[in-house]
Amino acid sequence: MKQIKQFYLLVILSFTLFSLNQCSGDSEILATFDGGTVTRGELNFFIQSNKRSADPEPVNSEIQSKIVENIALEKMLMLDSIKNQKVSQEDLQKLENLVSDFLKFNVYLKDYVKRSIESKPLEFVSLEMALIRSEDEAANVKKADEILAKLNSAKSSEISDILAEATDDVGRKPIGGKLEPFCTNCNSNPLEDIIEATKKAPKGEFIKYDKDPRMIYVLRITDTEKVNAKRVAKYYTSVFKDFAKLAEEYAKTHTDEQTKNAVSYLVEGDQEEKGKQFAQQMIKQFEQGLYQKESMRIKEAAGVEFGNLPPVFSVEEIVPKDYSADRVLLKYKDGSIYKWSDLEKEFAELPKALLNDYKDDKSKIFDMVKLFQSTLVQGKIAKTSPEVQKIGKKQEFLLQLDRMKGSLAFKNLQDEMSALKIEISPKQIQDTYEAGKLYAYSKADPRDPNKRIPLPFYEVKDKIKSELENNEKNAYVQKRVDTLKSSYNLKIDTSRLKDVMI
């Protein structure tokens, strides 16, 4: 089961480390080794995928050199595993058969999101609102009705003052009940029901939303705007600067402590930084929405019906008799079905390195269910979609597939480390404790913060033993790395690596 979990982790890491921003066609060779190269395209692909922001970021030559070395080491480790017959071509083909369609589906969706976010704007709605909140439901309704009538008969110049006075949301008083713009076509919109109700009202008219009489909203839409993803940060920054001006003006005539705190929140800080933070959150939600909607569209187009196979979270939940050979897992449009017996056949074809020596059926069934639900289902759906299958020719897919194959070599390295016979003597543990008892194995003196008190040896001896074992393992890995670099004659052309903004 441990091996299967490691496989799931490698699947996740594959998507974490790679995205769709590769500079295609860049074949400039940055490193060579016996049996392969590392290109500029691979370097750029890795850097772009690990960026936390859409804005250009500095990447110095030292970082680039380290990345190039890591890419080369992955490739050399695979070559070495094949050479030493620890990974076979048969196993590589088995792994490709397992994950190929699953990878295509995910690469397709990420490519779709990338293209969509460049062409589809985020849709925002701006609201102003009075919140009526108390445990007295009847009083809330009465107050809301009065405010609603007053707002809908008031002059435009009076609206802000009425909302500021009426709302029970103290933080909104200084800005006349205004809310930050909500993205209505993003994945998460906490006010979706309220906004939909407000959209039905005549333009500029307030409505009362009283689904919960303990918390009633009197509100209206003041503006709607479509904003390209690249402009969202500036859009929010402009809103926050306007809020700050309104709050400063409000503070001139309201000096109570609650107002001071509310104004402080609205005025202090870098408004541009606030704008960037809100923008990043909204764009992330927008991307999630695009991803999920397109995923659902592909699944519906596939017309695949799912059998009743509930998720399981522990081996203890498994009841072996519930997983009979004829249990239906999927039904296709053409009437064909995918049964538990079919899953058993696919599971048997997994590379042996990913399988455990199962001592009971429950552990094996648990791994089979997890594999089916986490990987195989998406692959089965992807197989029905011509759009998704076209991804098989894209460089992004091929790079991810190669990296996934590399997981077998990485697994062998893990097995080597697990097989190491590391013996830590009591003397090593004691010596390490003596050397670190005033530093790593100590605590602050409560009577004098400038002094340290050694922790008792019995409290830290197991920790020290574990640290020494890990040091031995790290030393083994470093030796393997040095051996790979030497035996495969790794050469990195650092003259081609310059400090850049990417």
Side-chain angles (χ1 to χ4, degrees):
M1 185 154 51
K2 183 179 179 182
Q3 285 91 333
I4 291 291
K5 288 180 180 177
Q6 289 168 338
F7 170 69
Y8 297 147
L9 178 60
L10 288 162
V11 171
I12 294 168
L13 284 173
S14 176
F15 296 124
T16 302
L17 293 172
F18 289 98
S19 69
L20 303 176
N21 295 313
Q22 185 191 14
C23 298
S24 60
D26 193 346
S27 57
E28 179 185 10
I29 295 175
L30 303 179
T32 61
F33 53 89
D34 294 349
T37 63
V38 178
T39 66
R40 172 76 63 182
E42 290 172 299
L43 171 64
N44 289 341
F45 190 52
F46 189 98
I47 293 173
Q48 289 279 11
S49 65
N50 284 279
K51 286 181 62 178
R52 296 181 180 181
S53 169
D55 299 327
E57 297 176 350
V59 185
N60 64 43
S61 58
E62 290 182 10
I63 292 175
Q64 292 177 57
S65 180
K66 191 63 181 175
I67 293 171
V68 169
E69 180 179 300
N70 286 340
I71 295 171
L73 283 169
E74 287 185 2
K75 294 185 175 186
M76 291 186 293
L77 184 60
M78 172 57 79
L79 289 173
D80 201 58
S81 296
I82 293 173
K83 176 183 176 182
N84 294 314
Q85 298 182 344
K86 294 181 179 180
V87 172
S88 67
Q89 292 298 334
E90 181 183 4
D91 278 347
L92 292 174
Q93 187 60 54
K94 285 180 177 181
L95 186 61
E96 180 174 343
N97 293 341
L98 172 69
V99 302
S100 181
D101 288 314
F102 170 78
L103 289 178
K104 288 176 187 175
F105 197 19
N106 282 274
V107 172
Y108 168 82
L109 289 172
K110 290 183 179 180
D111 184 51
Y112 171 82
V113 170
K114 178 178 178 291
R115 288 184 285 108
S116 296
I117 205 166
E118 291 173 352
S119 60
K120 295 183 179 181
L122 285 76
E123 298 175 6
F124 289 97
V125 59
S126 297
L127 304 166
E128 53 185 7
M129 172 186 77
L131 174 64
I132 315 303
R133 178 171 54 195
S134 80
E135 293 302 314
D136 190 336
E137 297 181 4
N140 289 347
V141 172
K142 184 175 183 295
K143 182 180 178 181
D145 287 337
E146 291 172 354
I147 294 170
L148 179 63
K150 190 174 183 180
L151 286 167
N152 281 331
S153 62
K155 297 178 182 178
S156 297
S157 59
E158 300 172 333
I159 297 294
S160 184
D161 289 340
I162 295 172
L163 289 170
E165 181 181 350
T167 187
D168 290 326
D169 186 345
V170 176
R172 300 292 165 181
K173 285 181 177 291
I175 52 177
K178 290 179 173 57
L179 302 179
E180 294 84 0
F182 281 88
C183 176
T184 58
N185 63 338
C186 291
N187 185 45
S188 176
N189 180 4
L191 296 184
E192 184 175 356
D193 291 344
I194 298 174
I195 291 172
E196 287 303 312
T198 310
K199 284 180 178 179
K200 297 174 183 177
K203 187 177 181 180
E205 185 173 307
F206 282 87
I207 70 156
K208 179 181 70 174
Y209 186 87
D210 57 356
K211 188 174 182 179
D212 181 356
R214 295 170 301 175
M215 187 180 294
I216 300 176
Y217 302 88
V218 178
L219 73 166
R220 72 173 178 179
I221 293 174
T222 58
D223 189 29
T224 58
E225 188 163 352
K226 295 181 178 181
V227 183
N228 184 276
K230 293 181 179 179
R231 287 187 52 244
V232 173
K234 290 183 178 179
Y235 173 65
Y236 269 114
T237 297
S238 175
V239 169
F240 291 139
K241 286 182 177 180
D242 289 343
F243 282 1
K245 291 177 183 177
L246 289 171
E248 287 173 342
E249 193 65 29
Y250 186 83
K252 293 177 182 178
T253 55
H254 298 76
T255 58
D256 59 279
E257 199 62 31
Q258 281 188 325
T259 297
K260 286 181 181 179
N261 292 334
V263 169
S264 176
Y265 173 78
L266 293 161
V267 171
E268 292 180 0
D270 187 334
Q271 305 303 332
E272 288 189 5
E273 186 59 32
K274 287 183 184 178
K276 287 181 181 179
Q277 290 175 359
F278 262 76
Q280 288 173 358
Q281 181 181 349
M282 288 301 108
I283 290 172
K284 183 177 180 180
Q285 291 179 5
F286 186 53
E287 290 175 336
Q288 289 172 345
L290 290 169
Y291 190 100
Q292 291 180 7
K293 288 174 184 176
E294 182 63 8
S295 176
M296 187 58 65
R297 187 191 71 80
I298 294 292
K299 289 176 181 178
E300 290 175 353
V304 176
E305 295 181 24
F306 298 92
N308 181 24
L309 186 66
V312 290
F313 303 100
S314 68
V315 174
E316 288 69 29
E317 295 178 49
I318 298 294
V319 180
K321 66 182 180 61
D322 291 341
Y323 300 89
S324 59
D326 59 351
R327 180 168 186 165
V328 176
L329 303 181
L330 297 172
K331 290 183 180 178
Y332 294 94
K333 276 182 177 180
D334 61 5
S336 60
I337 59 176
Y338 181 86
K339 297 181 295 185
W340 183 261
S341 58
D342 298 311
L343 175 58
E344 288 180 313
K345 292 175 184 176
E346 288 200 78
F347 195 78
E349 287 299 310
L350 283 175
K352 291 181 180 179
L354 297 178
L355 293 174
N356 200 358
D357 292 328
Y358 296 105
K359 296 180 180 179
D360 59 76
D361 289 340
K362 293 177 72 170
S363 297
K364 181 179 180 182
I365 291 171
F366 179 78
D367 279 354
M368 290 173 66
V369 173
K370 299 298 285 186
L371 179 67
F372 176 74
Q373 294 179 332
S374 69
T375 306
L376 295 183
V377 167
Q378 287 195 46
K380 303 299 181 188
I381 291 169
K383 215 172 188 66
T384 70
S385 171
E387 297 166 281
V388 174
Q389 289 304 310
K390 290 178 183 177
I391 289 292
K393 297 179 181 179
K394 278 186 167 283
Q395 186 73 358
E396 295 87 354
F397 164 74
L398 297 174
L399 283 170
Q400 288 209 37
L401 184 59
D402 282 346
R403 185 173 181 82
M404 189 62 71
K405 290 178 179 179
S407 68
L408 291 180
F410 179 70
K411 175 61 176 57
N412 282 319
L413 178 59
Q414 288 181 313
D415 289 343
E416 289 177 26
M417 292 169 61
S418 298
L420 290 176
K421 293 183 178 179
I422 300 173
E423 295 183 2
I424 306 297
S425 70
K427 185 177 186 305
Q428 285 177 284
I429 298 173
Q430 186 68 50
D431 289 347
T432 303
Y433 172 73
E434 293 298 330
K437 65 182 180 182
L438 293 179
Y439 304 98
Y441 313 117
S442 65
K443 63 182 179 180
D445 188 335
R447 294 167 297 183
D448 185 351
N450 295 318
K451 292 183 178 180
R452 305 287 298 178
I453 299 175
L455 292 168
F457 178 70
Y458 71 86
E459 284 188 10
V460 295
K461 66 177 182 178
D462 289 340
K463 176 185 176 183
I464 294 173
K465 183 174 185 290
S466 178
E467 289 174 351
L468 293 173
E469 288 173 344
N470 286 333
N471 289 342
E472 291 290 329
K473 291 179 181 179
N474 290 336
Y476 175 82
V477 171
Q478 187 58 55
K479 184 178 179 181
R480 285 282 277 124
V481 166
D482 292 340
T483 300
L484 285 171
K485 290 162 66 174
S486 173
S487 59
Y488 284 87
N489 299 307
L490 174 63
K491 293 181 176 61
I492 300 174
D493 189 348
T494 55
S495 67
R496 296 178 181 270
L497 303 174
K498 310 295 181 183
D499 294 359
V500 293
M501 295 289 291
I502 294 182

